[in-house]
Amino acid sequence: MKNIFKSALATTAAVAAVASGVIAPVAQVSAADANTGRNWPMYSLQQINEGVLGNKIAFNSIQIQASDYAWHKTTYGKDIPTGTITNESNFVGARENTGINAGANNVWNGDRIKVEEGKSYIVRLYVHNNNPNGEQAIAENTRVSFNIPSASAREVAVNGYIYSDSASVNGYPYMDNVIFESATGESFHLEYVKGSALLENQADYNTVTTADGKKQVIGFKLSDDIVEAASIQGVKIGYKLGADGQPNGQVPGCYQYDNFVAIEVKPVFDREFTVSKKVRVVGAEDQTWKASVDAKIGDIVEFRIEYINKSDYNHTNVGIRDVLPDNLEYIPGTTKLKNNGDCKNWCTNEDDTIATEGINIGHYAPNSNAIIYLRAKVVDNSLACGSNTLVNWGQGYVTINGEKIMLQDYARVNLDKIEGCPVDPEDPSTPVDPGTEDPNLPNELPTTGPEAIVGGVVATGAIVTAAGYYIASRRQLRR
């Protein structure tokens, strides 16, 4: 059978199996941090005020209980202030940038927010040293950062991190995220608005006194390093300025010293080409291609990757790569390509390189497509007890105007491991993005593949355009 010509699409790929409900950080910290999100000890407001921490410093560890409202009213003679964050572990939120800042009455989405083209969004990170002893309990070298993945899909998670020499979560920074979801189902990526990073607190350098004698927060501009991948330790915040004119990283304990850090992002919907991924269980009664299927150990699953050129110009040397997670074992000889060129009657990849360096599927004219099939077996190499989701990513590579672009989409295989398992863990959630900031693509993909430009569309029954994608170089937007 005819060979599909391989290409040197070498990238580093993270294992994309998810066995918990936590989204792992993409680029900022070790993958071991996947289990630290919202997983540190939490305390009631009353416990904190009654000295549960002692001399210990902890960040964002208050979860206000029903009993706290009555306790606060009795102790302080007033209600808990409007806008108080009731679960500080959920410290990253977002809202649409309407141009109106309602202060404490702003409504923040702490878990998910739908995005629309043409709008921008504010992402806020809250920092609170919970020790009530004020300047007797200063957190040293406190920094914050955001991770905005270049990788894009129908859902994009923005991670926020709090670092400090005085407190951590088992040696890792505090981490939380907010998930941006496409309102239309189309894939997108988020771009940081350069110069938008702002710190708000009650520090003297960050306030002015109004005519009526009240303090007004003016906001302190932070460096754009807050979102740069190279700045893995974040930028400093704090209540005093250092010799460099920047916050010195010292954050005293208690509410009057809390900090709010905000950045602005814009969703960008790229529609020059798409890559979509579907899956089905071989031999199952239902052979419909789906984004997610239920399977069991020993089943054979088949994946379909579809590439579509939606631009007005030719794409040459299109590359396709499949990122198989642990517990999905590729079956040799099962990778096949169909297009309206040399592979009208299917071509088989005899080298079986789709799950390693990838394959070159040739050149494609506007409005043409290609379909790639491959199979894998569900195995138990490292399955967690209870529910597991195995996330398989399909990636497509195209060079457009000299810029190397990787688009990607995923399909899920869900299964349960029960035998020998005393306790079921929580169900998994959003997959870990296997992309990297630098795909390390060659200047040109190998030209050993089909030379002819393929035109026309291979019939698939349904064209799926909600594809994930990856932009290798992050573009910076200004207001």
Side-chain angles (χ1 to χ4, degrees), residues 429-453:
S429 183
T430 303
V432 177
D433 185 343
T436 63
E437 277 298 317
D438 181 8
N440 194 28
L441 298 180
N443 289 331
E444 293 184 3
L445 295 171
T447 57
T448 55
E451 293 298 326
I453 294 289

Side-chain angles (χ1 to χ4, degrees), residues 90-173:
N90 193 357
F91 62 83
V92 176
R95 65 178 178 86
E96 181 184 339
N97 182 16
T98 61
I100 300 173
N101 186 350
N105 294 316
N106 284 326
V107 177
W108 297 93
N109 297 274
D111 294 307
R112 285 180 172 271
I113 184 169
K114 288 187 181 293
V115 297
E116 300 177 31
E117 190 167 22
K119 295 183 177 180
S120 69
Y121 298 84
I122 305 296
V123 185
R124 184 190 71 174
L125 183 152
Y126 175 64
V127 185
H128 178 203
N129 176 354
N130 297 133
N131 195 301
N133 293 318
E135 295 189 1
Q136 303 304 311
I138 293 177
E140 299 287 348
N141 197 22
T142 305
R143 294 100 61 210
V144 297
S145 70
F146 292 94
N147 178 243
I148 305 174
S150 291
S152 295
R154 292 156 293 183
E155 298 178 354
V156 179
V158 174
N159 290 352
Y161 300 93
I162 304 172
Y163 312 78
S164 177
D165 291 353
S166 305
S168 68
V169 181
N170 300 320
Y172 294 99

Side-chain angles (χ1 to χ4, degrees), residues 18-23 34-35 387 425-430:
V18 180
S20 71
V22 177
I23 298 176
N35 294 320
S387 298
E426 295 181 359
D427 287 339
S429 183
T430 303

Side-chain angles (χ1 to χ4, degrees), residues 141-436:
N141 197 22
T142 305
R143 294 100 61 210
V144 297
S145 70
F146 292 94
N147 178 243
I148 305 174
S150 291
S152 295
R154 292 156 293 183
E155 298 178 354
V156 179
V158 174
N159 290 352
Y161 300 93
I162 304 172
Y163 312 78
S164 177
D165 291 353
S166 305
S168 68
V169 181
N170 300 320
Y172 294 99
Y174 292 81
M175 186 272 287
D176 186 38
N177 58 52
V178 61
I179 298 173
F180 288 81
E181 178 183 358
S182 171
T184 62
E186 296 178 280
S187 57
F188 68 99
H189 69 278
L190 290 173
E191 294 188 347
Y192 168 68
V193 177
K194 192 174 180 66
S196 66
L198 192 71
L199 169 65
E200 294 181 302
N201 58 26
Q202 296 290 329
D204 289 341
Y205 68 81
N206 206 1
T207 59
V208 295
T209 303
T210 62
D212 57 1
K214 294 181 179 179
K215 265 189 174 184
Q216 179 179 325
V217 177
I218 55 177
F220 185 88
K221 288 282 187 181
L222 293 175
S223 167
D224 291 329
D225 289 343
I226 198 168
V227 298
E228 293 299 323
S231 179
I232 62 172
Q233 292 301 312
V235 298
K236 287 183 180 180
I237 59 173
Y239 266 72
K240 293 182 180 179
L241 298 181
D244 59 356
Q246 298 297 311
N248 65 1
Q250 293 184 335
V251 177
C254 212
Y255 276 112
Q256 65 263 39
Y257 298 105
D258 57 8
N259 296 262
F260 297 85
V261 183
I263 60 172
E264 185 179 359
V265 296
K266 292 183 178 181
V268 178
F269 293 80
D270 288 343
R271 302 183 175 100
E272 292 173 326
F273 71 101
T274 63
V275 173
S276 62
K277 187 69 173 283
K278 297 295 180 183
V279 63
R280 64 186 178 186
V281 178
V282 175
E285 182 177 350
D286 183 2
Q287 286 296 291
T288 305
W289 292 104
K290 299 178 179 178
S292 179
V293 296
D294 295 328
K296 59 184 183 297
I297 297 171
D299 279 350
I300 304 298
V301 291
E302 187 169 33
F303 294 98
R304 185 187 75 181
I305 305 170
E306 182 175 13
Y307 150 84
I308 305 174
N309 181 354
K310 303 192 75 175
S311 71
D312 296 327
Y313 42 84
N314 295 334
H315 289 167
T316 59
N317 290 310
V318 175
I320 297 292
R321 183 171 182 265
D322 189 83
V323 183
L324 281 170
D326 197 15
N327 301 303
L328 282 180
E329 190 174 89
Y330 174 71
I331 299 176
T334 62
T335 300
K336 296 184 178 182
L337 165 69
K338 188 173 186 178
N339 59 30
N340 275 330
D342 290 341
C343 295
K344 284 186 176 69
N345 298 315
W346 298 98
C347 299
T348 299
N349 175 224
E350 297 173 356
D351 292 337
D352 289 317
T353 56
I354 191 166
T356 53
E357 64 259 44
I359 59 176
N360 182 339
I361 64 170
H363 315 322
Y364 291 84
N367 300 313
S368 61
N369 72 330
I371 304 168
I372 300 92
Y373 285 13
L374 69 148
R375 292 185 175 188
K377 183 177 182 179
V378 181
V379 297
D380 183 5
N381 290 330
S382 58
L383 290 174
C385 287
S387 298
N388 289 260
T389 293
L390 311 180
V391 182
N392 179 244
W393 292 83
Q395 301 176 333
Y397 298 78
V398 171
T399 299
I400 299 175
N401 296 325
E403 181 180 15
K404 300 176 183 65
I405 301 176
M406 191 232 319
L407 280 68
Q408 60 185 1
D409 193 21
Y410 61 85
R412 305 177 189 231
V413 176
N414 307 308
L415 69 154
D416 293 329
K417 179 178 179 180
I418 300 174
E419 185 177 352
C421 299
V423 179
D424 288 345
E426 295 181 359
D427 287 339
S429 183
T430 303
V432 177
D433 185 343
T436 63

